[in-house]
Amino acid sequence: MLRLVGYGHPDAMRLIEEVQAEYVVRHGGPDETPLDPLMFEPPEGSFFVGYARDAPVATGAWRRSGVVALGTTVTAEIKRMYVAPAARGRGLARRMLAGLEASAAAHGFEVVVLETGLNQPEAIALYETSGYVPVPPFGHYRDSPLSRCYAKRLPTTGAVS
């Protein structure tokens, strides 16, 4: 089950600490992308925690981006996608991703964008099998040779962003 929570929610904070620790192992340091918690407050963004048997096991968020991708600037960026190791392999990342896409579309965004790294091959596989296509680099890590950026067009909902 996905629950919309504030960025500072205790379950969100615990899982953010876990993903940052994983980035240290995979990339040699935490994600240093500048983030303001207000970026994840509707209608500018949303932050979700995924629960399994009432335990927090996944996070995902989106925020207004403005990055030009697939011919539009009406874009939202996916951030903080993470599934705890003990909960992996159950399709939770795919459900979180679909939930983020649906939420961004409901807020009127046309395209979602995201950045990931070469040291996260399972994330790349998830995005590519979910219809994401490579786009030119953007964001904090745009000059990193280990960074990969993707985008996906969202279904039109008629909502206004």
Side-chain angles (χ1 to χ4, degrees):
M1 171 200 301
L2 300 184
R3 289 186 195 151
L4 178 64
V5 301
Y7 185 84
H9 187 279
D11 293 340
M13 296 307 296
R14 194 186 95 227
L15 291 166
I16 289 168
E17 288 176 16
E18 287 182 25
V19 73
Q20 290 287 31
E22 185 158 333
Y23 291 153
V24 170
V25 171
R26 289 184 184 233
H27 304 291
D31 180 355
E32 296 177 348
T33 303
L35 295 180
D36 178 342
L38 294 178
M39 294 174 173
F40 301 108
E41 292 295 322
E44 296 301 306
S46 292
F47 198 99
F48 295 87
V49 172
Y51 293 85
R53 297 187 188 113
D54 294 324
V57 296
T59 61
W62 63 266
R63 65 180 180 174
R64 181 179 299 274
S65 167
V67 167
V68 177
L70 305 181
T72 185
T73 59
V74 185
T75 56
E77 182 182 9
I78 291 177
K79 297 295 294 174
R80 297 297 185 253
M81 278 281 301
Y82 175 71
V83 176
R88 292 179 185 165
R90 298 186 215 164
L92 297 173
R94 196 166 298 279
R95 281 187 290 219
M96 177 64 76
L97 186 59
L100 295 172
E101 292 169 358
S103 175
H107 281 83
F109 291 95
E110 297 172 2
V111 169
V112 286
V113 298
L114 59 86
E115 182 275 332
T116 192
L118 283 180
N119 294 333
Q120 295 174 260
E122 55 282 272
I124 290 172
L126 169 68
Y127 301 136
E128 289 179 351
T129 61
S130 297
Y132 285 74
V133 296
V135 294
F138 65 86
H140 188 74
Y141 293 101
R142 71 182 152 271
D143 296 323
S144 171
L146 299 177
S147 175
R148 294 296 178 266
C149 294
Y150 290 89
K152 180 179 179 179
R153 186 162 301 283
L154 297 170
T156 305
T157 65
V160 177
S161 60

